[in-house]
Amino acid sequence: MKQFLLAGAALWAVFAAPALAADIAPAKIAEHVKVLASDAFEGRGPATEGETKTVAYIIEHYKDAGLKPGGDLVDGQRAWTQDVPLARFENKGPVAISVTSGGKTQSWTQGEEVALRAAQTGATRVTIKDAPIVFVGYGVSAPERNWDDFKGVDLKGKIALVLVNDPDFETGKGDFGGKAMTYYGRWTYKFEEAARQGAVGFLVIHETAPASYGWATVKNSNTNTIFDIIRDKPSEAHALLEGWIQRDKTVELFKAAGLDFEALKKQAQTREFKPVELKGATFSTDYEVDVQKIVSKNVVGLVAGAKRPNETIIYSSHWDHLGVGLPDAKGDKIYNGAVDNADGIATMIEIGRAFAKGPQPDRSVVFLAVTAEEKGLLGSEYYAANPLYPLATTVADINMDALSPTGPAKDFTSSGDAASTLQDALIAVGKAKGRYYAPDPRPEAGSFFRSDHFPFAKRGVPAISFGSGRDLVNGGKAAGDAFAKVYTADRYHQPADEFDSTWNLEGMAQDGQLMLELGRQLANSTTWPEWKAGSEFKLTRDATAAERK
Ligand SMILES: [Zn+2]
């Protein structure tokens, strides 16, 4: 028996040898997570006492790890933080909505037929009277795919109705990644495009399959408080009216205008589609908006490059979680966010320690702990809109969010699937460590657009969000899937996402080691990772190619 055990242990050692974490200590990660996810940190809500403690903790441990301050320039010196001014918008009082179609006018109820978001243009009152309604298909303008749903239509003073997901979601094949979602399928894109097209309002037509969630989710998140970064010209990013409309109501409006919704949707799946005005249909609404300003912080550590300090590799991870909220069945109100995302911050601090220890990299390496991810990627959006280091010479962003405390895994993954040579490099580093890449199993859910690397990708910077594997060294896929299932059901975004002293953090240390080695490779080379042909981010990156000579 003893002999058998020894043989087993030896075999395991041989198998695991290439994956042993050399620089990153699991005990250090545990130390950080235990504190950051403790009740004293109150769930790390932005602009709360929990933020003050969290920011102080990260600064203290960046210092301890040997990092230098890399934040805002104050009197010619870098501070540890970047101020992130955020705007908070809330609908105030009743929301009046009326729709005329087929000669009849009816009142609609906020949250029932439509879910109207609090305006994010800075307007304290939204008043729209008898605005014509135009169907604009999938609302996509994609020059690199030779696709334009707008065809020059004038949307001034009009409400546009737009389909969710991208034009080839239903057919499963075409120019938009088939079933997988491109950025053109995300509702955030639809709203940004609406603002560019000059519409007074944009309503996304809710259909459960292409949205990947039901009306309840749409209603809850869109009629609630909304946060945004503070923008110089908010109306360039937001139309006055943004919201969602139920599919059934849309079908009725089409019918009253003598149109067939399904037939027009089919047309919208082709390049030839042209916008269609719903004859005799108009939309009116009137409501007040409460606008407030808060200031939160990104925490920024730096290891300056020895040879090319102006070229930057960024590691990012969000420090915020949901704060204090509704109690669970046990009466616990603190949303500790241990896995999401104290563990990402902990791992990033330890990657920082390894870089600071040396040897000094050729390029600079930045450790960006961002705020307000849970409010819609706002800390990273603010950074990318106001970069401390120019994006044109930012080599890559490597993001980590909710790494798994399940012990070593044979595989690893990334959120969503966006083809870049950065992803290839990650896969190669993993392979050299005896691990394999498992692609995102549900690319149609659009996970690529839901993590802090995305504001970088959107602006052309090669970016990836690393994910822990599920094929565990101990117990294989069955054990990894079982953990994920229980975590999603009982802990994800719930007060029970707490630190557990029985966790095996050896796997998280290996994940950190993998990201460390990818970063080291990039930091000591002269190459620039790229988006591959056909990527929706490639044109934007290529536009600044001259700055990367
Ligand atoms: Zn997270």
Side-chain angles (χ1 to χ4, degrees):
M1 194 63 196
K2 201 175 172 190
Q3 213 175 10
F4 172 79
L5 272 178
L6 277 175
L11 268 177
W12 187 85
V14 167
F15 176 77
L20 274 184
D23 300 89
I24 295 180
K28 277 290 202 192
I29 295 177
E31 237 172 72
H32 301 312
V33 178
K34 200 172 167 180
V35 179
L36 290 166
S38 66
D39 282 357
F41 281 63
E42 295 174 15
R44 304 188 305 278
T48 67
E49 189 52 37
E51 160 156 4
T52 311
K53 286 185 179 167
T54 304
V55 168
Y57 183 92
I58 298 171
I59 293 174
E60 184 192 333
H61 289 272
Y62 272 2
K63 276 185 194 163
D64 177 67
L67 301 182
K68 296 281 179 272
D72 283 331
L73 272 173
V74 182
D75 300 330
Q77 296 231 317
R78 292 268 177 206
W80 279 107
T81 55
Q82 176 184 39
D83 274 358
V84 180
L86 296 177
R88 180 182 178 280
F89 307 95
E90 203 164 12
N91 286 336
K92 236 185 5 190
V95 179
I97 306 157
S98 74
V99 175
T100 301
S101 103
K104 279 183 289 191
T105 299
Q106 41 179 319
S107 291
W108 282 2
T109 307
Q110 163 76 328
E112 296 305 316
E113 293 88 354
V114 283
L116 306 184
R117 295 160 72 84
Q120 296 177 74
T121 57
T124 53
R125 184 167 200 129
V126 173
T127 307
I128 295 170
K129 204 158 163 34
D130 301 329
I133 303 173
V134 183
F135 174 60
V136 295
Y138 287 87
V140 168
S141 166
E144 81 287 0
R145 285 166 165 81
N146 186 27
W147 192 288
D148 175 26
D149 284 331
F150 297 97
K151 310 279 193 309
V153 66
D154 180 10
L155 291 176
K156 260 208 193 76
K158 296 177 187 166
I159 304 281
L161 300 184
V162 63
L163 295 159
V164 72
N165 217 308
D166 46 33
D168 62 8
F169 170 77
E170 289 198 352
T171 58
K173 55 175 193 240
D175 299 296
F176 293 85
K179 265 257 178 269
M181 193 193 274
T182 63
Y183 184 48
Y184 299 111
R186 272 295 273 169
W187 57 267
T188 47
Y189 165 78
K190 314 271 179 188
F191 288 144
E192 287 167 9
E193 192 57 44
R196 284 192 283 268
Q197 298 288 336
V200 71
F202 225 50
L203 297 176
V204 178
I205 302 162
H206 177 256
E207 297 187 277
T208 301
S212 86
Y213 37 74
W215 180 254
T217 304
V218 170
K219 174 181 166 171
N220 292 341
S221 47
N222 289 281
T223 60
N224 211 321
T225 309
I226 306 239
F227 289 84
D228 193 13
I229 63 169
I230 300 224
R231 300 175 188 273
D232 289 341
K233 293 177 187 148
S235 57
E236 284 181 1
H238 297 284
L240 180 63
L241 183 90
E242 297 172 327
W244 291 68
I245 179 168
Q246 294 259 36
R247 180 185 186 278
D248 292 356
K249 287 290 140 186
T250 311
V251 172
E252 280 174 27
L253 289 179
F254 273 64
K255 223 181 202 164
L259 301 168
D260 178 343
F261 175 71
E262 283 301 328
L264 277 169
K265 191 206 268 186
K266 283 265 155 342
Q267 280 183 30
Q269 291 161 2
T270 69
R271 274 195 176 79
E272 290 69 41
F273 171 82
K274 285 196 195 85
V276 183
E277 186 156 338
L278 277 62
K279 289 260 169 331
T282 63
F283 185 93
S284 301
T285 188
D286 185 40
Y287 57 95
E288 283 182 66
V289 184
D290 181 52
V291 184
Q292 302 285 342
K293 186 183 160 184
I294 61 168
V295 179
S296 186
K297 288 183 192 304
N298 290 334
V299 190
V300 195
L302 172 72
V303 172
K307 289 190 189 152
R308 286 181 300 284
N310 298 326
E311 300 175 3
T312 314
I313 287 96
I314 295 183
Y315 285 96
S316 61
S317 197
H318 73 92
W319 62 253
D320 69 303
H321 195 59
L322 302 171
V324 177
L326 291 175
D328 65 6
K330 289 182 189 148
D332 189 354
K333 289 191 287 197
I334 300 174
Y335 289 65
N336 305 75
V339 167
D340 186 12
N341 179 37
D343 71 9
I345 291 293
T347 304
M348 187 167 74
I349 292 171
E350 294 313 307
I351 293 174
R353 190 184 311 281
F355 267 106
K357 210 164 136 197
Q360 190 181 7
D362 294 350
R363 287 165 157 167
S364 295
V365 186
V366 165
F367 301 86
L368 179 64
V370 295
T371 181
E373 186 270 351
E374 306 285 4
K375 309 267 185 262
L377 314 179
L378 296 181
S380 51
E381 175 68 21
Y382 184 84
Y383 177 91
N386 304 274
L388 297 164
Y389 307 91
L391 295 184
T393 49
T394 295
V395 179
D397 171 55
I398 304 165
N399 186 64
M400 61 207 88
D401 190 353
L403 302 173
S404 290
T406 42
K410 295 176 226 167
D411 61 341
F412 58 94
T413 186
S414 60
S415 296
D417 185 23
S420 69
T421 58
L422 177 63
Q423 182 167 295
D424 293 346
L426 174 74
I427 294 170
V429 173
K431 199 172 172 191
K433 304 184 79 59
R435 297 177 68 181
Y436 72 92
Y437 177 74
D440 187 333
R442 287 185 66 225
E444 71 275 18
S447 307
F448 187 83
F449 318 113
R450 299 185 186 182
S451 231
D452 286 310
H453 68 300
F454 181 60
F456 290 93
K458 192 165 75 171
R459 291 170 176 84
V461 178
I464 197 161
S465 193
F466 179 90
S468 300
R470 286 200 187 180
D471 186 359
L472 304 182
V473 170
N474 265 321
K477 277 191 185 123
D481 286 346
F483 175 86
K485 206 174 152 197
V486 170
Y487 175 74
T488 307
D490 302 338
R491 298 201 195 96
Y492 174 69
H493 283 197
Q494 296 173 51
D497 183 3
E498 292 182 330
F499 176 71
D500 180 342
S501 57
T502 67
W503 279 344
N504 175 356
L505 296 177
E506 186 64 43
M508 209 177 288
Q510 290 179 6
D511 287 346
Q513 187 73 25
L514 209 168
M515 287 184 273
L516 167 65
E517 288 177 23
L518 172 64
R520 271 185 180 148
Q521 207 177 76
L522 294 169
N524 294 310
S525 91
T526 53
T527 60
W528 299 91
E530 294 178 339
W531 299 106
K532 293 193 179 170
S535 157
E536 60 265 54
F537 315 116
K538 189 172 165 41
L539 278 179
T540 311
R541 185 62 164 176
D542 289 352
T544 61
E547 293 171 61
R548 287 184 296 279
K549 288 271 162 69

